[in-house]
Amino acid sequence: MNKNILIFALAAAGALGVFFSSDLARVNRTDALARIKASTAQEDLYFTAHQTRLMSSDLRPLIADWYWISSLQYMGNKILTSEGRININDLRSLDPRLLYPMLETAQTLDPQFMAIYSYGAAVLPAIDTELAIKLLEKGIEANPTDWRLFRFLGQVLWQSKNYERAATAYEQGAVKPGAPPFMRQMATKMRVDQAASNEVAKETYRQMIESGAASDDDQSRQFAVLRYKQIESLEMRERLDAALTAFRRHHGRCANRWREIHSFLEKLPPAPAGAAPPVFGSEGEPIDPTGVPFVLITGRCVAGLSDSSPIPKE
Amino acid sequence: MQNDSKTSALPQSRGIGGGGAFAGRIFSIAVNTFHETVRDRVLYNLVVFVLLMTAAAILLGELTAGQESRVIVDLGLALVLIFGAFIAIFVGIGLVAKEIEKRTIYVILAKPVRRWEFVVGKYFGLCFMLLLNVVIMTCGLYAALFAVGGADAYMPSVIGAVILIYFELMVITAVAVLFSSYSSPALSMFFTFVIFILGHFSTALKEFADSMGMWGAREILTVFYYVLPNLSYFSFAGPAAAGHIPEAGLVVSALLYAAAYIVTMLSVACAVFGRRNFK
């Protein structure tokens, strides 16, 4: 009897192996992947979003985790193997064509997996805004009462300068259970300020940082922190540039050292409310929000980011 | 002799008795079945489970960008189900068949024990073993979650999901006992395994049946859909990973469905076993 049990255990394991290996070997034929070149065949997905519908509901969340981890590694590898500077506003040069199919498959497997949406909202707009919107709309369809998805959608629409739709998304999210008051405030700001101000941008990224911390979504939080610091550095540089201009107007030349413009900074008109003021190091040099000193570009007489600063230059 | 303890633990009175006497006999058989599975080293799977959960707790932090608690929940619940299902199937199919093959069934049935009491006792014995397994695995899952700081947020939902998984394992065990009561272990394993797989795809089976144009095929698939256990009723891994707790109504309806299915399977098993000729 034991021999029979062993034989059938092996047969069952073999049958399972055949079942999974045949699916694993299946090349994805969906429209989204139809354009994949032969050179990237090793990056094909094992399962399409459509195929995953038939998977056991007990294992779907685990397989969704696997696709989520794969999507992080996929983008990480693209960035590590890329040549030249990375522009976080436009990642198309990395050719990350499988990112959306991976996230879409993970979303289909587990529509309640919120990190997929926050990651998609943070990274996909730099590849294809429409794909980011599509992912979030699928998420809203599956979780119509979750206000966070409306906030992600509003954020993506705001980034694509679609302020009216962004305001609508914030408004729709504001009436969902548990939605915080800032959802309605953001809708108003989108309509009144046309979302062009740094204040709106900082508020959007501040919400991303806070929600990332709340959900332990490190990727999205780090992305938002970087963008927030980028805006702060822009505000600091506006003040420094204004002081440099005042110095040149007064002395007829550009300043050679940062200490020379300190008195001119104090005489400048007040900065807009909420704008980050320049911060100075021990030797009087202005430092950016990451703690790296700004560089004085004497040729153009402006303040610039150091090459060693992690803040995006574009 | 290996089964001496089993037979000696059974009531020695010559009359079968009535009232609550059968409960005592079922309990004795269940306890002996539990001890037998412990002697068969079934609990060794817990070592593998603990090793996997420990490795997950240590390694996932580097890979999941802050989602390690969620991944540990998903991995832990999947392992609880897979390990439990393997125990239910591989041990369940041998519960009755082994007694017949070793001819110890003659010794047991010579005592004042009804055949249905034997089947039901065997079933509950394995359910006790599965309960112990599930409880220890849940403790392991809690330890892994505690290590990554997600215990408070996820444990209530994990416990809810584990309760539903245990219902599912009880259903699978009933199916294994049914096959074990009249078929060989090899065939029992095959049938139970197929039902376990198909039970997870019942929804797809229904969709497939609805899409069939051919009259006969559609009706046959629809019958399969209703006869096979719909194990998706017990699936709560996705919502549990999102921190949701199953509502009482969901748990009660799953329990009622499981109870109905188990009663049906065991009734058929008892009927078949009662008519079986051991000569």
Side-chain angles (χ1 to χ4, degrees):
Chain A
M1 185 182 70
N2 288 337
K3 193 178 167 187
N4 282 340
I5 290 176
L6 185 65
I7 289 168
F8 268 89
L10 288 172
L16 266 182
V18 169
F19 172 75
F20 281 112
S21 59
S22 62
D23 264 330
L24 291 171
R26 192 176 299 162
V27 178
N28 191 320
R29 300 294 181 200
T30 58
D31 292 339
L33 296 177
R35 294 161 294 167
I36 291 175
K37 289 182 264 181
S39 61
T40 57
Q42 77 280 3
E43 295 176 335
D44 282 6
L45 298 188
Y46 294 142
F47 300 103
T48 62
H50 181 73
Q51 288 164 346
T52 58
R53 279 188 323 116
L54 299 176
M55 285 182 179
S56 163
S57 49
D58 284 304
L59 299 179
R60 279 185 202 168
L62 189 62
I63 303 170
D65 293 342
W66 187 82
Y67 273 102
W68 154 250
I69 293 170
S70 297
S71 71
L72 296 180
Q73 291 182 329
Y74 176 71
M75 281 309 290
N77 284 335
K78 288 281 183 189
I79 290 168
L80 286 175
T81 56
S82 69
E83 291 168 3
R85 189 182 290 277
I86 303 289
N87 176 6
I88 64 169
N89 291 321
D90 187 357
L91 296 173
R92 284 175 297 180
S93 60
L94 299 176
D95 199 21
R97 285 171 293 176
L98 285 177
L99 180 64
Y100 177 75
M102 283 177 175
L103 293 177
E104 186 195 27
T105 304
Q107 189 273 341
T108 306
L109 284 162
D110 187 356
Q112 295 179 314
F113 192 177
M114 210 46 63
I116 296 168
Y117 305 115
S118 60
Y119 183 57
V123 178
L124 278 176
I127 300 160
D128 187 337
T129 303
E130 288 307 313
L131 289 179
I133 294 170
K134 188 178 166 188
L135 181 76
L136 292 166
E137 285 178 343
K138 282 185 75 177
I140 288 170
E141 195 181 331
N143 307 279
T145 58
D146 199 318
W147 64 269
R148 293 172 295 180
L149 292 165
F150 291 91
R151 194 200 60 210
F152 295 144
L153 182 61
Q155 167 199 317
V156 170
L157 291 167
W158 162 74
Q159 280 176 321
S160 63
K161 298 182 169 43
N162 204 333
Y163 304 127
E164 191 56 38
R165 280 181 68 195
T168 305
Y170 277 112
E171 273 171 357
Q172 287 173 339
V175 296
K176 302 297 175 190
F182 73 72
M183 290 291 287
R184 200 167 291 283
Q185 292 162 8
M186 287 301 290
T188 309
K189 281 182 182 176
M190 293 285 161
R191 289 222 161 88
V192 174
D193 300 346
Q194 285 296 292
S197 71
N198 285 347
E199 189 190 350
V200 174
K202 283 168 75 175
E203 182 58 32
T204 305
Y205 290 124
R206 190 180 298 125
Q207 288 162 21
M208 280 178 74
I209 294 164
E210 287 170 2
S211 68
S215 64
D216 290 335
D217 182 4
D218 285 349
Q219 290 284 314
S220 306
R221 193 176 56 81
Q222 284 171 15
F223 174 84
V225 165
L226 219 49
R227 299 303 296 263
Y228 188 87
K229 287 181 175 175
Q230 186 185 30
I231 296 170
E232 280 194 331
S233 82
L234 280 170
E235 290 170 343
M236 290 175 175
R237 278 182 280 167
E238 278 175 18
R239 297 291 289 171
L240 292 171
D241 289 349
L244 284 167
T245 304
F247 179 92
R248 188 166 58 181
R249 198 175 295 131
H250 189 265
H251 292 284
R253 65 170 177 86
C254 188
N256 294 320
R257 294 179 297 116
W258 286 114
R259 280 191 186 283
E260 291 178 327
I261 65 164
H262 281 197
S263 57
F264 288 87
L265 266 173
E266 289 165 9
K267 291 174 192 164
L268 287 176
V279 178
F280 293 92
S282 56
E283 294 176 10
E285 77 287 10
I287 53 177
D288 72 23
T290 62
V292 178
F294 284 110
V295 290
L296 179 54
I297 305 169
T298 49
R300 288 163 43 211
C301 200
V302 292
L305 284 167
S306 164
D307 284 340
S308 58
S309 174
I311 292 174
K313 311 294 185 289
E314 296 165 78
Chain B
M1 203 170 146
Q2 195 183 352
N3 290 287
D4 281 352
S5 62
K6 181 189 302 170
T7 52
S8 63
L10 293 170
Q12 296 298 309
S13 64
R14 294 196 62 78
I16 285 187
F22 73 89
R25 288 190 293 273
I26 289 172
F27 182 72
S28 297
I29 294 169
V31 169
N32 277 288
T33 305
F34 177 81
H35 288 154
E36 189 185 348
T37 52
V38 171
R39 277 200 303 273
D40 285 347
R41 301 183 179 89
V42 170
L43 290 172
Y44 276 20
N45 75 89
L46 296 172
V47 177
V48 181
F49 179 84
V50 168
L51 286 175
L52 282 172
M53 291 313 298
T54 308
I58 294 169
L59 298 174
L60 285 176
E62 297 296 320
L63 292 172
T64 57
Q67 296 291 318
E68 56 264 47
S69 294
R70 184 205 138 86
V71 179
I72 284 173
V73 169
D74 290 339
L75 181 66
L77 291 177
L79 289 177
V80 169
L81 174 66
I82 290 169
F83 281 30
F86 268 77
I87 291 171
I89 294 171
F90 283 85
V91 180
I93 52 107
L95 280 180
V96 177
K98 201 160 71 176
E99 303 285 358
I100 297 169
E101 190 184 85
K102 290 182 176 176
R103 310 207 183 280
T104 48
I105 189 77
Y106 299 120
V107 182
I108 297 166
L109 294 182
K111 292 182 178 296
V113 176
R114 292 189 185 98
R115 288 192 180 193
W116 70 267
E117 293 170 350
F118 174 75
V119 173
V120 173
K122 282 282 179 186
Y123 171 75
F124 280 117
L126 183 51
C127 285
F128 288 154
M129 162 55 68
L130 283 170
L131 182 63
L132 179 68
N133 250 280
V134 166
V135 168
I136 295 174
M137 285 193 277
T138 307
C139 291
L141 183 50
Y142 173 80
L145 277 174
F146 184 78
V148 298
D152 291 342
Y154 282 100
M155 269 324 280
S157 50
V158 164
I159 290 169
V162 166
I163 288 171
L164 290 169
I165 288 175
Y166 182 65
F167 293 165
E168 179 176 342
L169 296 177
M170 288 174 76
V171 170
I172 294 298
T173 306
V175 173
V177 168
L178 168 62
F179 287 122
S180 174
S181 67
Y182 71 89
S183 183
S184 68
L187 283 175
S188 298
M189 185 185 301
F190 176 74
F191 288 135
T192 313
F193 198 76
V194 166
I195 285 181
F196 174 66
I197 299 287
L198 287 178
H200 281 275
F201 295 100
S202 331
T203 312
L205 201 65
K206 185 77 169 69
E207 281 180 23
F208 190 51
D210 292 341
S211 68
M212 294 288 277
M214 202 162 44
W215 183 87
R218 187 173 64 233
E219 271 60 34
I220 289 170
L221 285 174
T222 306
V223 168
F224 269 121
Y225 170 72
Y226 286 110
V227 169
L228 293 173
N230 190 341
L231 299 178
S232 62
Y233 287 163
F234 308 107
S235 176
F236 200 72
H244 298 306
I245 300 170
E247 291 173 5
L250 173 70
V251 177
V252 170
S253 62
L255 175 63
L256 290 176
Y257 178 77
Y261 208 89
I262 290 164
V263 167
T264 308
M265 290 292 108
L266 290 185
S267 300
V268 176
C270 292
V272 170
F273 191 68
R275 291 167 190 272
R276 191 163 174 183
N277 188 350
F278 296 111
K279 286 180 184 174

